[in-house]
Amino acid sequence: MLVIDPIGLAPAFIALTQGLEVTQKRALALRSSVIAAAILIVTALLGNWFLAQLRIGLAAFQISGGILLFGVATRMIFGEHMRQESREAESAAREKIADLAAFPLAIPLIAGPGAITATLLLASRTGGDPSLLLALVLIIAAVALASALSFLLAGQLARVLGRTGNIVLARLLGIVLAAFATQFVVDGIKSAFRWE
């Protein structure tokens, strides 16, 4: 799964989890990886059939994923998520962790349009062979485990950077994320209209 970069996702995890306690970050790392793995495994097993039933093209995933990701990037650039964290009460922390785990960590950062598209393409190439589908599922599980480990070790990088470094990194990653989001939309439009 070359479209998922577990090590490259660590800085985004740092930026999105600023202000959370270590135990909350651990829970978030594990939960987001499990959610992403579940999404990709279900995609591998049922994705092509489901898309055919709904008549949805892969380009639609790229465009919608890009738009959603752009919203996350905007919040990272302007530090909105940091102000929100400081205002939230402890009783709302668990709900926030569940939200962050599902979006944007599991979708679209880990199981993004590229990963979903790659999974659909690989699943279609198995021709329904159970052993090949099992191999694909095991690869997805291994990538999810690598993502969880990367997230769990991200705290060490955060300590090295310090508070100012983390703030600067969050803003820079927000800009990079905005560019990725825009590229997802551009690729989706090209694919939808078959532009070269």
Side-chain angles (χ1 to χ4, degrees), residues 66-131:
I67 291 169
L68 292 172
L69 201 54
F70 193 82
V72 173
T74 303
R75 289 195 299 273
M76 287 173 67
I77 292 168
F78 295 107
E80 184 180 318
H81 74 282
M82 290 179 216
R83 290 192 295 272
Q84 267 185 332
E85 288 293 342
S86 64
R87 290 194 304 261
E88 282 180 348
E90 183 61 32
S91 61
R94 287 190 191 94
E95 184 179 336
K96 183 69 176 176
I97 288 171
D99 291 345
L100 279 175
F103 178 83
L105 287 174
I107 302 171
L109 289 179
I110 301 173
I116 290 172
T117 302
T119 301
L120 287 169
L121 292 174
L122 290 171
S124 66
R125 290 180 184 169
T126 64
D129 183 337
S131 61

